[in-house]
Amino acid sequence: MARWEYTHGLKDIGNGLYAWLQPDGGWGWSNAGLIVDGDQSLLVDTLFDMHLTRDMLGAMADASGVRAEEIGTIVNTHANGDHCHGNGCCPHAEIIASDASAKEMAEVPPAMLAQFKKMGGQLGPAGTYFADIFGPFDFDAVEERLPTQTFTGRMDLTIGDKTVELIEVGPAHTGGDVIVHVPQDRIVFTGDILFIDGTPLMWAGPVKNWITACETIIGMDADVIVPGHGPITDKAGVRRVADYLAYIDAEARKRFDAGLSVREAALDIALGDYANWGDAERIAVNVDSLYREYRGDGQVTPVMDLFALMAETRDAMRR
């Protein structure tokens, strides 16, 4: 699908809807969206820091006439900072997220990311990897704004004459993923339920929920699908994400049943064509989450242990 070139910046996707794209879509380089109708507006996600978000909002103001301070509503599709750390740039907006996402945002403040990044190599390979992938982002300057309204399941909003459906499909990528559907314009913003040409990252699971979320999107009457990372896509792109998830589930299960450790399984699974997707080392986190699901014990691996395993996996893939 090539109706919108995958270049940095604002794409006018029609009828008062816009997508902001950040190639290459890797760690932290997320997408966002804007919905405008009449004198009302809704921003779908902000970016990883306030500098990036201000640049985006400036371009949106030039195109739509809606300035940052006039944006009425922000919907954060999930709790990861690259989708909510710029909330403070819109001081008057109502901020809506799922209950589960609001809880997760409070657990991982930007100051924690700033500290990990500063420590870098002091934390070993995990810290070096963390500082490398998040080097471009300024976590020190984030003026955090947490959600002012939360929901579970579904919430419908009206922006001008447009109905906007907020549909909670998590836990999947994170504990409270939400997709944003504008049915009359046949457009859906998926947050990180979709990584296009990049490797999906399953912090939460279960995997079946994520595959079901993909099936929900495929079942919608939608022509334009804006992912959380990567180029604007179509239903074939959604299917590829679902296929990846089904593949790693099957491959991880074989290795779990054979008694391999998470590390052994992550290094052993042959990714085939998926190895060409960005950040393929995320297989390590995905296997860890799948193993937690298979065990049924809810035991969560410390995040820096996961970054260490991704660093090791990336090094092994490069050899």
Side-chain angles (χ1 to χ4, degrees):
M1 183 174 184
R3 288 166 65 187
W4 291 275
E5 187 178 1
Y6 188 40
T7 54
H8 182 277
L10 195 66
K11 311 298 173 184
D12 185 341
I13 51 179
N15 298 324
L17 280 77
Y18 302 85
W20 181 264
L21 306 182
Q22 293 193 103
D24 62 358
W27 287 103
W29 297 111
S30 56
N31 299 331
L34 179 67
I35 301 166
V36 179
D37 197 50
D39 63 354
Q40 295 185 305
S41 56
L42 183 151
L43 183 64
V44 182
D45 286 331
T46 55
L47 305 180
F48 216 176
D49 66 31
M50 296 185 73
H51 307 295
L52 291 170
T53 303
R54 287 189 188 101
D55 288 346
M56 173 182 76
L57 292 170
M60 288 177 169
D62 290 343
S64 70
V66 179
R67 296 175 296 163
E69 58 269 25
E70 296 170 328
I71 288 175
T73 305
I74 297 171
V75 174
N76 292 139
T77 58
H78 61 290
N80 287 170
D82 54 337
H83 296 261
C84 62
H85 277 178
N87 287 355
C89 292
C90 299
H92 306 301
E94 178 104 52
I95 301 173
I96 301 174
S98 67
D99 284 353
S101 287
K103 291 183 177 72
E104 286 188 328
M105 286 179 203
E107 292 167 1
V108 187
M112 181 184 296
L113 301 182
Q115 184 65 23
F116 284 155
K117 182 178 162 185
K118 284 174 187 172
M119 292 180 72
Q122 298 174 52
L123 299 173
T128 300
Y129 177 77
F130 189 97
D132 177 35
I133 60 175
F134 294 139
F137 308 108
D138 183 2
F139 302 134
D140 288 312
V142 174
E143 297 171 16
E144 190 170 32
R145 284 195 71 210
L146 295 173
T148 56
Q149 183 175 0
T150 64
F151 72 100
T152 58
R154 176 166 167 162
M155 181 177 183
D156 288 357
L157 304 174
T158 301
I159 302 299
D161 291 329
K162 297 181 188 292
T163 297
V164 180
E165 301 170 349
L166 312 184
I167 304 168
E168 185 177 17
V169 293
H173 165 63
T174 63
D177 304 288
V178 169
I179 60 176
V180 179
H181 182 215
V182 189
Q184 74 187 63
D185 294 313
R186 304 174 74 177
I187 291 171
V188 59
F189 298 89
T190 73
D192 284 3
I193 291 300
L194 294 185
F195 293 73
I196 300 299
D197 297 332
T199 303
L201 181 61
M202 187 161 54
W203 291 117
V207 68
K208 287 183 174 57
N209 276 15
W210 198 335
I211 293 171
T212 299
C214 291
E215 298 292 350
T216 296
I217 296 165
I218 290 169
M220 289 176 164
D221 184 17
D223 292 331
V224 179
I225 300 171
V226 182
H229 295 258
I232 294 171
T233 192
D234 54 15
K235 293 183 181 182
V238 185
R239 175 58 60 196
R240 287 193 294 274
V241 173
D243 287 348
Y244 169 87
L245 295 167
Y247 175 76
I248 61 166
D249 183 22
E251 293 299 309
R253 186 80 212 204
K254 291 176 195 172
R255 288 157 180 83
F256 177 82
D257 291 343
L260 272 67
S261 68
V262 168
R263 176 183 176 276
E264 290 167 336
L267 293 171
D268 188 60
I269 292 173
L271 291 176
D273 289 343
Y274 301 126
N276 296 321
W277 287 5
D279 306 310
E281 68 271 14
R282 291 173 178 167
I283 185 66
V285 175
N286 295 338
V287 170
D288 182 79
S289 294
L290 287 164
Y291 269 43
R292 180 175 66 246
E293 182 179 335
Y294 304 153
R295 293 192 310 265
D297 61 7
Q299 185 174 342
V300 177
T301 304
V303 68
M304 292 311 285
D305 290 354
L306 294 174
F307 276 99
L309 185 53
M310 283 191 285
E312 181 183 0
T313 304
R314 182 178 68 172
D315 291 345
M317 288 176 171
R318 288 175 172 177
R319 290 197 288 269

